[in-house]
Amino acid sequence: MTDLTLMTSADDPASVLPSLALLSHRVRVLPMDAASLVKMPENTILFLDARDDLATAKTLCRLIHASGLTMPIVLILTEGGFTVVTSQWGISDVVVASASPAEVEARLRLVSERGNSFSSGSTNSTTSEQTQEGQIRSGELVVDTNGYTASLRGHPIDLAYKEFELLKYLVQHPGRVFTRAQLLQEVWGYDYYGGTRTVDVHIRRLRAKLGGEYEHLIGTVRNVGYRFDPPEEEEADDKAKAEAASSKPSGTSANTAA
């Protein structure tokens, strides 16, 4: 049984791709808007209803990838939609709304296999490393999830509780973009009634406490949200070499003219 998500604005979701109702998979239905990305699980295959609104579907595809979500996307199209869709949409497959259950099942199987193959072979050189002691290391930044402390270059960072929780969540998902609504949900919880402005305030405080040299670790993705950008290994090596060079004796001769 595969976990599936159907994003649609149709009044009757069962009419979007009728074959889904005949297959033994869990199908979650979400509205076709950006706010639904907050509720999107990571381990799912997304069916995106593009039958009547190709423009919105394309925008959502771009937003999904900009947010760092990596689930496969299968577009549900009418035959006329094939003339518009290109590889730039970043989708995994397409299916006609009238496809048979056998075809839908086959496409699901192929999408799943391609996704597993990619995941097993991919690597990321700019990741955060989590040790058994609950410490997450990213360059010279260390976040201790057990002790609720963070340090930079060995010096503790004075963080309020929510500031720490926000930093920890971002560091745990390096490179992934989160909308303000997603961060509000994940860090503050469903029972928080404040606005997304709260996220901006805490991000600003975090950057100030990281200091001018490291504030860039928390990046802004315009019109989307925020992400944690791990420092490149080369950047850290260059800094170490520069510090080592500056600590060496000057090597000037002690001899003076008589």
Side-chain angles (χ1 to χ4, degrees), residues 105-194:
E105 185 67 35
R107 292 185 183 277
L108 275 173
R109 184 172 62 253
L110 292 172
V111 166
S112 297
E113 291 174 355
R114 286 197 297 267
N116 291 335
S117 174
F118 176 79
S119 298
S120 62
S122 62
T123 58
N124 186 351
S125 60
T126 57
T127 57
S128 299
E129 175 187 356
Q130 182 160 4
T131 67
Q132 294 181 349
E133 293 77 19
Q135 290 186 342
I136 306 173
R137 297 179 178 271
S138 185
E140 296 175 304
L141 176 66
V142 179
V143 177
D144 186 347
T145 60
N146 293 331
Y148 287 88
T149 59
S151 62
L152 189 58
R153 303 181 72 175
H155 301 289
I157 309 172
D158 184 17
L159 298 176
Y161 177 74
K162 284 301 181 184
E163 292 169 354
F164 173 81
E165 287 293 308
L166 179 57
L167 178 62
K168 179 183 75 172
Y169 189 76
L170 289 171
V171 173
Q172 285 175 329
H173 303 85
R176 178 174 172 181
V177 183
F178 293 96
T179 65
R180 292 167 177 80
Q182 284 176 307
L183 291 172
L184 198 63
Q185 172 186 303
E186 296 296 335
V187 177
W188 279 264
Y190 289 100
D191 57 347
Y192 185 77
Y193 295 99

Coordinates of all heavy atoms in Angstrom, one line a residue, residues 105-194:
E105 N -1.6 2.0 -11.7 CA -0.8 1.2 -10.8 C 0.6 1.0 -11.4 O 1.6 1.1 -10.6 CB -1.4 -0.2 -10.7 CG -0.7 -1.1 -9.7 CD -0.9 -0.6 -8.2 OE1 -1.9 -0.1 -7.9 OE2 0.1 -0.8 -7.5
A106 N 0.7 0.8 -12.7 CA 2.0 0.7 -13.3 C 2.9 2.0 -13.2 O 4.1 1.9 -12.9 CB 1.9 0.3 -14.8
R107 N 2.2 3.1 -13.4 CA 2.9 4.4 -13.3 C 3.4 4.6 -11.8 O 4.5 5.1 -11.6 CB 2.0 5.5 -13.8 CG 1.8 5.5 -15.3 CD 1.0 6.7 -15.8 NE 0.8 6.6 -17.2 CZ 1.6 6.9 -18.2 NH1 2.8 7.3 -17.8 NH2 1.3 6.8 -19.4
L108 N 2.5 4.2 -10.9 CA 2.9 4.4 -9.5 C 4.2 3.5 -9.2 O 5.1 4.0 -8.5 CB 1.8 3.9 -8.6 CG 0.7 4.9 -8.2 CD1 -0.4 4.3 -7.5 CD2 1.3 6.1 -7.4
R109 N 4.1 2.3 -9.7 CA 5.3 1.4 -9.4 C 6.6 2.0 -10.0 O 7.6 1.9 -9.4 CB 5.0 0.0 -10.0 CG 6.1 -1.0 -9.7 CD 5.6 -2.4 -10.2 NE 5.4 -2.5 -11.6 CZ 4.1 -2.6 -12.1 NH1 3.1 -2.6 -11.4 NH2 4.0 -2.6 -13.5
L110 N 6.5 2.5 -11.3 CA 7.7 3.0 -11.9 C 8.2 4.3 -11.2 O 9.4 4.4 -11.0 CB 7.4 3.3 -13.4 CG 7.1 2.1 -14.3 CD1 6.6 2.5 -15.6 CD2 8.4 1.2 -14.4
V111 N 7.3 5.1 -10.8 CA 7.7 6.3 -10.1 C 8.3 6.0 -8.8 O 9.4 6.6 -8.4 CB 6.4 7.2 -9.8 CG1 6.7 8.3 -8.8 CG2 6.0 7.9 -11.1
S112 N 7.8 5.0 -8.0 CA 8.4 4.6 -6.8 C 9.8 4.0 -7.0 O 10.7 4.3 -6.2 CB 7.5 3.5 -6.1 OG 6.2 4.1 -5.8
E113 N 9.9 3.2 -8.0 CA 11.3 2.6 -8.2 C 12.3 3.6 -8.6 O 13.4 3.6 -8.2 CB 11.1 1.5 -9.3 CG 10.3 0.3 -8.9 CD 10.1 -0.7 -10.0 OE1 10.5 -0.4 -11.2 OE2 9.6 -1.8 -9.7
R114 N 11.9 4.6 -9.5 CA 12.8 5.6 -9.8 C 13.2 6.5 -8.6 O 14.4 6.9 -8.5 CB 12.2 6.5 -10.9 CG 12.2 5.9 -12.3 CD 12.0 6.9 -13.4 NE 10.7 7.6 -13.2 CZ 9.6 7.2 -13.8 NH1 9.5 6.2 -14.6 NH2 8.5 7.9 -13.7
G115 N 12.3 6.7 -7.8 CA 12.5 7.5 -6.6 C 13.5 6.8 -5.6 O 14.4 7.4 -5.1
N116 N 13.3 5.5 -5.4 CA 14.2 4.8 -4.5 C 15.6 4.7 -5.1 O 16.6 4.8 -4.4 CB 13.6 3.4 -4.3 CG 12.4 3.4 -3.5 OD1 12.1 4.3 -2.7 ND2 11.5 2.4 -3.7
S117 N 15.7 4.5 -6.4 CA 17.0 4.4 -7.0 C 17.8 5.7 -6.9 O 19.0 5.8 -6.6 CB 16.8 4.1 -8.5 OG 18.1 4.1 -9.2
F118 N 17.1 6.9 -7.1 CA 17.7 8.2 -6.9 C 18.2 8.4 -5.5 O 19.3 8.9 -5.3 CB 16.8 9.3 -7.4 CG 17.3 10.6 -7.2 CD1 18.2 11.2 -8.1 CD2 16.9 11.4 -6.1 CE1 18.7 12.5 -7.9 CE2 17.5 12.7 -5.9 CZ 18.3 13.2 -6.9
S119 N 17.3 8.1 -4.6 CA 17.6 8.3 -3.2 C 18.8 7.5 -2.7 O 19.6 8.0 -1.9 CB 16.4 8.0 -2.3 OG 15.3 8.8 -2.6
S120 N 18.9 6.3 -3.2 CA 20.0 5.4 -2.7 C 21.3 5.9 -3.3 O 22.4 5.6 -2.7 CB 19.7 4.0 -3.1 OG 19.7 3.8 -4.5
G121 N 21.3 6.5 -4.4 CA 22.6 6.9 -5.1 C 23.0 8.3 -4.9 O 24.0 8.7 -5.3
S122 N 22.1 9.2 -4.3 CA 22.4 10.6 -4.2 C 23.2 10.9 -2.9 O 23.0 10.2 -1.9 CB 21.1 11.4 -4.2 OG 20.3 11.1 -3.1
T123 N 24.0 11.9 -2.9 CA 24.8 12.4 -1.8 C 24.7 13.9 -1.7 O 24.4 14.5 -2.7 CB 26.2 12.0 -1.8 OG1 26.8 12.5 -3.0 CG2 26.4 10.4 -1.8
N124 N 24.9 14.4 -0.6 CA 24.9 15.9 -0.4 C 26.1 16.3 0.4 O 26.3 15.8 1.6 CB 23.6 16.3 0.4 CG 23.5 17.8 0.4 OD1 24.4 18.5 0.1 ND2 22.3 18.2 0.9
S125 N 27.0 17.1 -0.2 CA 28.2 17.5 0.5 C 28.0 18.5 1.5 O 28.9 18.8 2.3 CB 29.2 17.9 -0.6 OG 28.7 19.1 -1.2
T126 N 26.9 19.2 1.5 CA 26.7 20.3 2.5 C 25.5 19.9 3.4 O 24.4 20.4 3.3 CB 26.3 21.6 1.8 OG1 25.2 21.4 0.9 CG2 27.5 22.1 0.9
T127 N 25.8 18.9 4.3 CA 24.8 18.5 5.2 C 25.2 18.7 6.7 O 26.4 19.0 6.9 CB 24.6 17.0 5.1 OG1 25.8 16.3 5.3 CG2 24.1 16.7 3.7
S128 N 24.3 18.6 7.6 CA 24.6 18.7 9.0 C 24.8 17.3 9.5 O 24.1 16.4 9.2 CB 23.4 19.4 9.7 OG 23.2 20.7 9.2
E129 N 25.8 17.1 10.4 CA 26.1 15.8 10.9 C 25.6 15.7 12.3 O 25.9 16.5 13.2 CB 27.7 15.6 10.9 CG 28.1 14.4 11.6 CD 29.6 14.3 11.7 OE1 30.3 15.2 11.2 OE2 30.1 13.3 12.3
Q130 N 24.8 14.7 12.6 CA 24.3 14.5 14.0 C 25.0 13.3 14.6 O 25.1 12.2 14.1 CB 22.8 14.2 13.9 CG 22.2 14.0 15.4 CD 20.7 14.2 15.4 OE1 20.1 14.4 14.4 NE2 20.1 14.2 16.6
T131 N 25.6 13.5 15.8 CA 26.3 12.5 16.5 C 25.4 11.8 17.5 O 24.2 12.1 17.7 CB 27.4 13.2 17.4 OG1 26.8 14.0 18.4 CG2 28.3 14.0 16.5
Q132 N 25.9 10.7 18.1 CA 25.1 9.9 19.0 C 24.7 10.6 20.2 O 23.8 10.3 20.9 CB 25.8 8.6 19.3 CG 26.0 7.6 18.1 CD 26.7 6.4 18.5 OE1 27.2 6.3 19.6 NE2 26.7 5.4 17.6
E133 N 25.5 11.6 20.6 CA 25.3 12.4 21.8 C 24.2 13.5 21.6 O 23.9 14.3 22.5 CB 26.6 13.1 22.2 CG 27.7 12.2 22.7 CD 28.4 11.5 21.5 OE1 28.3 12.0 20.4 OE2 29.0 10.4 21.8
G134 N 23.6 13.5 20.4 CA 22.5 14.5 20.2 C 23.0 15.8 19.7 O 22.3 16.8 19.7
Q135 N 24.3 15.9 19.3 CA 24.8 17.1 18.8 C 24.8 17.2 17.3 O 25.2 16.2 16.6 CB 26.3 17.3 19.3 CG 26.4 17.5 20.8 CD 27.9 17.9 21.2 OE1 28.8 17.6 20.4 NE2 28.1 18.5 22.3
I136 N 24.3 18.3 16.8 CA 24.3 18.5 15.3 C 25.4 19.4 15.0 O 25.4 20.6 15.5 CB 22.9 19.0 14.9 CG1 21.8 18.1 15.4 CG2 22.8 19.1 13.3 CD1 20.4 18.7 15.1
R137 N 26.3 19.0 14.1 CA 27.4 19.9 13.8 C 27.3 20.3 12.3 O 27.0 19.5 11.4 CB 28.7 19.1 14.0 CG 29.0 18.8 15.4 CD 30.3 18.0 15.6 NE 30.6 17.7 16.9 CZ 31.3 18.5 17.8 NH1 31.7 19.7 17.3 NH2 31.5 18.2 19.0
S138 N 27.4 21.6 12.1 CA 27.4 22.1 10.7 C 28.5 23.1 10.7 O 28.3 24.3 11.1 CB 26.1 22.7 10.3 OG 26.1 23.1 9.0
G139 N 29.7 22.7 10.2 CA 30.8 23.6 10.2 C 31.2 23.9 11.6 O 31.4 23.0 12.4
E140 N 31.3 25.2 12.0 CA 31.7 25.6 13.3 C 30.5 25.8 14.2 O 30.6 26.2 15.4 CB 32.5 26.8 13.3 CG 33.9 26.6 12.5 CD 34.7 27.9 12.4 OE1 34.1 28.9 11.8 OE2 35.8 27.9 12.8
L141 N 29.3 25.5 13.7 CA 28.1 25.6 14.5 C 27.7 24.2 15.1 O 27.7 23.3 14.4 CB 26.9 26.1 13.7 CG 25.5 26.2 14.3 CD1 25.6 27.3 15.5 CD2 24.5 26.5 13.3
V142 N 27.5 24.2 16.4 CA 27.1 23.0 17.1 C 25.8 23.2 17.9 O 25.7 24.1 18.7 CB 28.2 22.5 18.1 CG1 27.7 21.2 18.8 CG2 29.5 22.3 17.4
V143 N 24.8 22.4 17.6 CA 23.5 22.4 18.3 C 23.3 21.2 19.1 O 23.3 20.1 18.5 CB 22.3 22.6 17.3 CG1 21.0 22.6 18.0 CG2 22.5 23.9 16.4
D144 N 23.2 21.3 20.4 CA 23.1 20.2 21.3 C 21.6 20.0 21.6 O 21.0 20.8 22.4 CB 23.8 20.5 22.6 CG 23.8 19.3 23.5 OD1 23.0 18.3 23.3 OD2 24.6 19.3 24.5
T145 N 21.0 19.0 21.0 CA 19.5 18.8 21.1 C 19.1 18.3 22.5 O 18.0 18.4 22.9 CB 19.0 17.9 20.0 OG1 19.6 16.6 20.2 CG2 19.3 18.4 18.7
N146 N 20.1 17.7 23.2 CA 19.8 17.2 24.5 C 20.0 18.3 25.6 O 19.2 18.4 26.5 CB 20.7 16.0 24.9 CG 20.5 14.8 24.0 OD1 19.3 14.6 23.6 ND2 21.5 14.0 23.7
G147 N 21.0 19.1 25.5 CA 21.3 20.1 26.4 C 20.6 21.4 26.1 O 20.7 22.4 26.9
Y148 N 19.9 21.5 25.0 CA 19.2 22.7 24.6 C 20.2 23.9 24.5 O 19.9 25.0 25.0 CB 18.0 23.0 25.5 CG 16.9 22.1 25.2 CD1 16.8 20.9 25.9 CD2 15.9 22.4 24.3 CE1 15.8 20.0 25.7 CE2 14.8 21.5 24.1 CZ 14.8 20.3 24.8 OH 13.7 19.5 24.6
T149 N 21.4 23.7 24.0 CA 22.4 24.7 23.9 C 22.9 24.7 22.4 O 22.8 23.8 21.7 CB 23.5 24.6 24.8 OG1 24.2 23.3 24.6 CG2 23.0 24.6 26.3
A150 N 23.5 25.9 22.1 CA 24.1 26.0 20.8 C 25.4 26.8 20.9 O 25.5 27.7 21.8 CB 23.2 26.7 19.7
S151 N 26.4 26.5 20.1 CA 27.7 27.2 20.2 C 28.2 27.4 18.8 O 28.0 26.7 17.9 CB 28.7 26.4 21.1 OG 29.0 25.1 20.5
L152 N 29.0 28.4 18.7 CA 29.6 28.8 17.4 C 31.1 29.1 17.7 O 31.5 29.9 18.5 CB 29.0 30.1 16.9 CG 29.3 30.5 15.5 CD1 29.0 29.4 14.5 CD2 28.5 31.7 15.1
R153 N 32.0 28.3 17.0 CA 33.4 28.4 17.2 C 33.8 28.2 18.6 O 34.7 28.8 19.2 CB 34.0 29.7 16.7 CG 33.6 30.0 15.2 CD 34.2 31.3 14.7 NE 35.6 31.2 14.6 CZ 36.4 32.2 14.0 NH1 35.8 33.3 13.6 NH2 37.7 32.1 13.9
G154 N 33.0 27.3 19.3 CA 33.3 27.0 20.7 C 32.7 27.9 21.7 O 32.8 27.7 22.9
H155 N 32.1 29.0 21.3 CA 31.5 30.0 22.2 C 30.0 29.8 22.2 O 29.3 29.7 21.2 CB 31.8 31.4 21.7 CG 33.3 31.7 21.7 ND1 34.1 31.8 22.8 CD2 34.2 31.8 20.6 CE1 35.4 32.0 22.4 NE2 35.4 32.1 21.1
P156 N 29.4 29.7 23.4 CA 27.9 29.5 23.5 C 27.2 30.7 22.9 O 27.6 31.9 23.0 CB 27.7 29.4 25.0 CG 28.9 30.0 25.7 CD 30.0 29.8 24.7
I157 N 26.0 30.4 22.4 CA 25.1 31.4 21.8 C 23.9 31.5 22.8 O 23.3 30.5 23.1 CB 24.6 31.0 20.4 CG1 25.7 30.7 19.5 CG2 23.8 32.2 19.8 CD1 25.3 30.1 18.2
D158 N 23.7 32.7 23.3 CA 22.6 33.0 24.2 C 21.3 33.0 23.5 O 20.9 34.0 22.9 CB 22.8 34.3 25.0 CG 21.8 34.5 26.0 OD1 21.1 33.5 26.4 OD2 21.7 35.7 26.5
L159 N 20.5 31.9 23.5 CA 19.3 31.8 22.7 C 18.1 31.6 23.7 O 18.2 30.8 24.7 CB 19.3 30.6 21.8 CG 20.4 30.6 20.7 CD1 20.3 29.3 19.9 CD2 20.2 31.8 19.8
A160 N 17.0 32.3 23.4 CA 15.7 32.0 24.1 C 15.2 30.6 23.6 O 15.7 30.1 22.6 CB 14.7 33.1 23.8
Y161 N 14.3 30.0 24.3 CA 13.8 28.7 24.0 C 13.3 28.5 22.5 O 13.7 27.6 21.8 CB 12.7 28.3 25.0 CG 12.1 26.9 24.7 CD1 12.8 25.8 25.0 CD2 10.8 26.8 24.1 CE1 12.3 24.5 24.7 CE2 10.3 25.6 23.8 CZ 11.0 24.4 24.1 OH 10.5 23.2 23.8
K162 N 12.5 29.5 22.1 CA 11.9 29.4 20.7 C 13.0 29.6 19.7 O 12.9 29.1 18.6 CB 10.7 30.3 20.6 CG 9.4 29.8 21.2 CD 9.0 28.4 20.7 CE 7.8 27.9 21.3 NZ 7.4 26.5 20.8
E163 N 13.9 30.5 20.0 CA 15.0 30.8 19.1 C 15.8 29.5 18.9 O 16.2 29.1 17.8 CB 15.9 31.9 19.6 CG 15.2 33.2 19.6 CD 16.0 34.3 20.4 OE1 17.1 33.9 21.0 OE2 15.6 35.5 20.4
F164 N 16.1 28.8 20.0 CA 16.8 27.5 19.9 C 16.0 26.5 19.1 O 16.6 25.8 18.2 CB 17.1 26.9 21.3 CG 17.7 25.5 21.3 CD1 19.0 25.3 21.0 CD2 16.9 24.4 21.4 CE1 19.6 24.1 21.0 CE2 17.4 23.1 21.4 CZ 18.8 23.0 21.1
E165 N 14.7 26.4 19.4 CA 13.9 25.4 18.6 C 13.9 25.7 17.2 O 13.9 24.8 16.3 CB 12.5 25.4 19.2 CG 12.3 24.8 20.6 CD 12.6 23.3 20.6 OE1 11.9 22.6 19.7 OE2 13.4 22.8 21.3
L166 N 13.8 27.0 16.8 CA 13.8 27.4 15.4 C 15.1 27.0 14.7 O 15.2 26.5 13.6 CB 13.5 28.9 15.3 CG 13.5 29.5 13.9 CD1 12.5 28.7 13.0 CD2 13.2 31.0 13.9
L167 N 16.2 27.3 15.4 CA 17.6 27.0 14.9 C 17.7 25.5 14.7 O 18.2 25.0 13.7 CB 18.7 27.6 15.8 CG 20.1 27.3 15.4 CD1 20.4 27.9 14.0 CD2 21.1 27.8 16.4
K168 N 17.3 24.8 15.7 CA 17.5 23.3 15.7 C 16.7 22.7 14.5 O 17.2 21.9 13.8 CB 17.0 22.7 17.0 CG 17.0 21.2 17.0 CD 16.5 20.6 18.3 CE 14.9 20.7 18.3 NZ 14.3 20.0 19.5
Y169 N 15.5 23.2 14.3 CA 14.6 22.7 13.2 C 15.3 22.9 11.9 O 15.3 22.1 11.0 CB 13.2 23.2 13.3 CG 12.3 22.5 12.4 CD1 11.8 21.3 12.7 CD2 11.9 23.1 11.2 CE1 10.9 20.6 11.8 CE2 11.0 22.5 10.3 CZ 10.5 21.2 10.6 OH 9.7 20.6 9.7
L170 N 15.8 24.1 11.7 CA 16.4 24.5 10.4 C 17.7 23.7 10.2 O 17.9 23.2 9.1 CB 16.7 26.0 10.4 CG 15.5 26.9 10.3 CD1 15.9 28.4 10.5 CD2 14.8 26.8 9.0
V171 N 18.5 23.5 11.2 CA 19.8 22.8 11.1 C 19.5 21.3 10.8 O 20.3 20.7 10.1 CB 20.6 23.0 12.3 CG1 21.9 22.1 12.3 CG2 21.0 24.4 12.5
Q172 N 18.4 20.8 11.3 CA 18.1 19.4 11.1 C 17.6 19.1 9.7 O 17.6 18.0 9.2 CB 16.9 19.0 12.1 CG 17.4 18.8 13.5 CD 16.3 18.4 14.4 OE1 15.1 18.9 14.2 NE2 16.5 17.7 15.4
H173 N 17.3 20.2 8.9 CA 16.8 20.0 7.5 C 17.6 21.0 6.6 O 17.1 21.9 6.0 CB 15.3 20.3 7.4 CG 14.5 19.5 8.3 ND1 14.2 19.8 9.6 CD2 13.8 18.4 8.1 CE1 13.4 18.9 10.1 NE2 13.2 18.0 9.2
P174 N 18.9 20.8 6.5 CA 19.8 21.7 5.7 C 19.4 21.7 4.3 O 19.1 20.7 3.7 CB 21.2 21.1 5.9 CG 21.0 19.6 6.2 CD 19.7 19.6 7.0
G175 N 19.3 23.0 3.8 CA 19.0 23.2 2.4 C 17.6 23.1 2.0 O 17.2 23.5 0.9
R176 N 16.7 22.8 2.9 CA 15.3 22.7 2.6 C 14.6 24.0 3.0 O 14.8 24.6 4.0 CB 14.6 21.6 3.4 CG 13.1 21.5 3.2 CD 12.5 20.3 3.8 NE 11.0 20.4 3.7 CZ 10.2 19.5 4.2 NH1 10.6 18.4 4.8 NH2 8.9 19.6 4.1
V177 N 13.8 24.5 2.1 CA 13.1 25.8 2.3 C 11.8 25.5 3.0 O 11.0 24.6 2.6 CB 12.9 26.5 0.9 CG1 12.2 27.9 1.2 CG2 14.2 26.7 0.2
F178 N 11.5 26.3 4.0 CA 10.3 26.3 4.7 C 9.5 27.6 4.6 O 10.1 28.6 4.8 CB 10.5 25.9 6.2 CG 11.1 24.6 6.5 CD1 12.4 24.4 6.6 CD2 10.2 23.5 6.5 CE1 12.9 23.1 6.8 CE2 10.7 22.2 6.7 CZ 12.1 22.0 6.9
T179 N 8.2 27.5 4.4 CA 7.4 28.7 4.4 C 7.3 29.2 5.9 O 7.5 28.4 6.8 CB 6.0 28.5 3.8 OG1 5.3 27.5 4.6 CG2 6.1 27.9 2.4
R180 N 6.9 30.4 6.1 CA 6.6 30.9 7.4 C 5.5 30.1 8.1 O 5.6 29.8 9.3 CB 6.3 32.4 7.4 CG 7.4 33.3 6.9 CD 6.9 34.7 6.6 NE 8.0 35.6 6.2 CZ 8.6 35.6 5.0 NH1 8.2 34.8 4.1 NH2 9.6 36.4 4.8
A181 N 4.5 29.7 7.4 CA 3.4 28.9 7.9 C 3.9 27.5 8.4 O 3.5 27.0 9.4 CB 2.3 28.8 6.9
Q182 N 4.8 26.9 7.6 CA 5.4 25.6 8.0 C 6.2 25.7 9.3 O 6.1 24.9 10.2 CB 6.3 25.1 6.9 CG 5.5 24.5 5.7 CD 6.4 24.1 4.6 OE1 7.3 24.9 4.1 NE2 6.3 22.9 4.1
L183 N 7.0 26.8 9.4 CA 7.9 27.0 10.6 C 7.0 27.2 11.8 O 7.3 26.8 12.9 CB 8.9 28.1 10.3 CG 10.0 27.8 9.3 CD1 10.8 29.0 9.1 CD2 10.9 26.7 9.8
L184 N 5.9 28.0 11.6 CA 5.0 28.3 12.7 C 4.4 27.1 13.2 O 4.2 26.9 14.4 CB 4.0 29.3 12.2 CG 3.2 30.1 13.3 CD1 4.1 31.0 14.1 CD2 2.1 30.9 12.6
Q185 N 4.0 26.2 12.3 CA 3.4 24.9 12.7 C 4.3 24.0 13.4 O 4.0 23.4 14.4 CB 2.8 24.2 11.4 CG 2.3 22.8 11.7 CD 1.8 22.1 10.4 OE1 1.0 22.6 9.7 NE2 2.4 21.0 10.1
E186 N 5.6 23.8 12.8 CA 6.5 22.9 13.3 C 7.2 23.3 14.6 O 7.5 22.5 15.4 CB 7.6 22.6 12.2 CG 7.0 21.9 11.0 CD 6.4 20.6 11.2 OE1 6.8 19.9 12.2 OE2 5.6 20.1 10.4
V187 N 7.4 24.6 14.7 CA 8.2 25.1 15.9 C 7.3 25.6 17.0 O 7.5 25.3 18.2 CB 9.2 26.2 15.5 CG1 9.9 26.8 16.7 CG2 10.2 25.7 14.5
W188 N 6.2 26.3 16.6 CA 5.3 26.8 17.6 C 4.1 25.9 17.9 O 3.5 25.9 19.0 CB 4.8 28.2 17.2 CG 5.8 29.3 17.5 CD1 5.8 30.1 18.6 CD2 6.9 29.7 16.7 NE1 6.8 31.0 18.5 CE2 7.5 30.7 17.4 CE3 7.4 29.2 15.5 CZ2 8.7 31.4 16.9 CZ3 8.6 29.9 15.0 CH2 9.2 30.9 15.7
G189 N 3.7 25.1 16.9 CA 2.7 24.1 17.1 C 1.3 24.6 16.6 O 1.1 25.8 16.4
Y190 N 0.4 23.6 16.5 CA -0.9 23.9 16.0 C -1.7 24.9 16.9 O -2.6 25.6 16.4 CB -1.7 22.6 15.9 CG -1.3 21.7 14.8 CD1 -0.5 20.6 15.0 CD2 -1.6 22.0 13.4 CE1 0.0 19.8 14.0 CE2 -1.2 21.2 12.4 CZ -0.4 20.1 12.7 OH 0.0 19.3 11.7
D191 N -1.4 24.9 18.2 CA -2.2 25.7 19.1 C -1.7 27.2 19.2 O -2.1 27.9 20.1 CB -2.1 25.1 20.5 CG -0.7 24.9 21.0 OD1 0.2 25.0 20.3 OD2 -0.6 24.6 22.3
Y192 N -0.7 27.5 18.3 CA -0.2 28.9 18.4 C -1.1 29.8 17.5 O -1.3 29.5 16.4 CB 1.2 29.0 17.9 CG 1.8 30.3 18.1 CD1 2.2 30.8 19.3 CD2 2.0 31.2 17.0 CE1 2.8 32.1 19.5 CE2 2.5 32.5 17.1 CZ 2.9 32.9 18.4 OH 3.4 34.1 18.5
Y193 N -1.5 30.9 18.1 CA -2.5 31.8 17.4 C -1.8 33.1 16.9 O -2.5 33.9 16.4 CB -3.7 32.1 18.3 CG -4.5 30.9 18.7 CD1 -4.3 30.3 19.9 CD2 -5.4 30.4 17.8 CE1 -5.0 29.2 20.3 CE2 -6.2 29.3 18.2 CZ -6.0 28.7 19.4 OH -6.7 27.6 19.7
G194 N -0.5 33.2 17.0 CA 0.1 34.4 16.5 C 0.3 34.3 15.0 O 0.1 33.2 14.4

